[in-house]
Amino acid sequence: FGDAMSYIAPNFLALGLDSMPDCAFKPAPQSATLPDGFTSTTNFPTYVKINGVWRLPKKPRMDSHLVYDPNTDNLEIKEFRCIKQGDLVAIAEHEDGSDGVFVWTKGFHSNASNEEEAFSFMNSDVSREKPVDYGAILQSFKDNHDGYIIWVIGPALVHARGREAMEWLIRHGYAHCVLAGNAVAVHDIEAALYGSTLGMKADGTGVVAGHACHMRAINEVKKAGSIQNLVESGILKSGIMRALVQENVPFVLAGSIRDDGPLPDTITDALDAQSAMRIHTDKATMVVMVATALHSIAVGNMLSTYQQADDGTIREITTICVDQTEFVVSKLKDRGTHQAFGVVTNAQ
């Protein structure tokens, strides 16, 4: 598994790219506006030729732009909205190196002699009929225990009685960050306080006036001022949010127009939420997405296929998407997160 995922850097001389010209850069005419001819990034490793040297930019992600600062010699990838007037933006029509920009798509190909028969974790077809190599997934968790494992979870994980498992993973160091929406925290806290999620108990029976339980949960957090305060008060005695607070694991709750409340911890400005999430996706070595289509696609669009360490070492970001239907996994891959490995099963 490790050998198949090791990174193979491009040999620019062998590829005939050593003599290609430097990339051209033009200043942004105003903030959040790009110069004509700009290039947009993919989530593959993208090399830029500057002063005769092929370089990898910092903070890789798709649907963004290459910016170079000659004063600091800093090359980074910036989102459209983060472009400032005067930023020098890469100008390139082609990605084959002829314009000084080269997208390398073969960096994580398996070295096996028969690629079709070799285990290829990131390129498996999505199907409920296809067996899943859970051993490889388990090994990936172990390999990333000292990395940065991000969980992207939806409320179905809570409804499907996955709370205890998620809490165990947090307590044992297999979750370094959780990205979710308002509902995950609300229903997790509802389950801790009232033994129900959306008014339904774990055994499928309803609670009297159960439709109000999640609103009561929100109100308890409002009274405390924050989820952390509710945990520290001793009122919250179980669950995902309690484990995150007690283990000092960061979380970002991104709001939406569907939210009740919302909780005081929920970030209701979409751009602020994206910025908060980006702090963590920049550090990701593994991402596990469970039962949340929109949140998974949002996070997938922030991810590169790789993580570059301070020493220059490059490793592929293990990306796993779990859902009860093939549709969500296929949609994620169709939206650009082609490296995602699909596990078609329920959230629990």
Side-chain angles (χ1 to χ4, degrees):
F1 176 74
D3 290 341
M5 303 285 283
S6 59
Y7 183 68
I8 304 169
N11 184 327
F12 292 102
L13 184 61
L15 291 169
L17 300 176
D18 201 46
S19 60
M20 291 298 174
D22 282 357
C23 179
F25 292 87
K26 289 184 180 179
Q30 60 190 46
S31 294
T33 307
L34 297 161
D36 292 342
F38 67 86
T39 185
S40 290
T41 55
T42 69
N43 54 12
F44 286 109
T46 300
Y47 291 83
V48 183
K49 194 171 186 182
I50 298 173
N51 297 326
V53 178
W54 286 102
R55 297 172 50 178
L56 269 177
K58 298 177 181 178
K59 299 183 178 180
R61 65 159 288 177
M62 70 174 79
D63 297 330
S64 294
H65 312 285
L66 298 157
V67 175
Y68 178 60
D69 185 348
N71 296 319
T72 60
D73 197 33
N74 183 57
L75 175 66
E76 66 176 313
I77 292 174
K78 296 177 71 171
E79 291 105 314
F80 198 120
R81 64 189 177 86
C82 296
I83 296 293
K84 302 297 184 185
Q85 184 175 13
D87 277 352
L88 293 179
V89 180
I91 303 300
E93 182 179 350
H94 304 100
E95 298 175 338
D96 59 2
S98 58
D99 291 334
V101 173
F102 179 63
V103 176
W104 179 234
T105 61
K106 300 179 180 180
F108 297 104
H109 278 196
S110 170
N111 293 325
S113 57
N114 190 336
E115 220 169 271
E116 289 186 0
E117 294 183 5
F119 172 65
S120 184
F121 189 79
M122 288 299 170
N123 297 314
S124 297
D125 292 330
V126 181
S127 171
R128 67 177 65 243
E129 304 297 332
K130 193 164 186 172
V132 175
D133 192 338
Y134 287 104
I137 294 176
L138 176 60
Q139 186 59 48
S140 190
F141 273 104
K142 292 179 178 178
D143 292 343
N144 284 279
H145 191 269
D146 295 326
Y148 203 79
I149 304 173
I150 295 177
W151 286 80
V152 185
I153 59 177
L157 183 143
V158 180
H159 301 320
R161 289 180 265 176
R163 290 174 69 243
E164 293 83 359
M166 190 71 236
E167 184 176 351
W168 186 95
L169 289 158
I170 294 165
R171 300 286 188 193
H172 288 80
Y174 291 102
H176 303 119
C177 174
V178 169
L179 305 179
N182 184 69
V184 168
V186 169
H187 298 308
D188 175 67
I189 293 168
E190 177 194 348
L193 296 179
Y194 308 111
S196 67
T197 60
L198 280 179
M200 296 296 292
K201 295 181 181 178
D203 62 5
T205 61
V207 177
V208 176
H211 66 279
C213 285
H214 70 291
M215 301 303 294
R216 299 187 194 284
I218 294 170
N219 196 51
E220 289 303 310
V221 181
K222 289 279 193 178
K223 285 157 57 178
S226 69
I227 294 172
Q228 180 171 336
N229 289 348
L230 189 66
V231 171
E232 292 175 350
S233 72
I235 294 173
L236 204 62
K237 301 184 184 303
S238 68
I240 295 168
M241 303 313 297
R242 178 172 179 263
L244 290 171
V245 170
Q246 292 183 334
E247 299 298 327
N248 199 30
V249 173
F251 61 88
V252 178
L253 304 178
S256 77
I257 59 173
R258 303 181 302 277
D259 290 339
D260 292 319
L263 295 168
D265 301 79
T266 299
I267 303 174
T268 56
D269 185 293
L271 296 182
D272 289 345
Q274 184 183 142
S275 296
M277 293 163 68
R278 180 67 190 276
I279 291 171
H280 301 288
T281 57
D282 279 347
K283 298 186 286 186
T285 62
M286 181 175 182
V287 181
V288 189
M289 307 168 172
V290 185
T292 173
L294 298 180
H295 228 79
S296 294
I297 292 169
V299 173
N301 284 351
M302 295 183 197
L303 289 176
S304 174
T305 54
Y306 68 96
Q307 176 64 252
Q308 186 173 18
D310 292 337
D311 63 1
T313 304
I314 292 175
R315 61 189 292 187
E316 186 164 30
I317 298 174
T318 304
T319 310
I320 301 171
C321 181
V322 182
D323 203 88
Q324 65 179 351
T325 68
E326 293 97 331
F327 169 79
V328 172
V329 188
S330 298
K331 186 74 171 176
L332 178 67
K333 294 168 82 71
D334 287 344
R335 289 296 300 268
T337 312
H338 52 83
Q339 80 276 18
F341 174 70
V343 180
V344 182
T345 188
N346 67 42
Q348 183 186 22

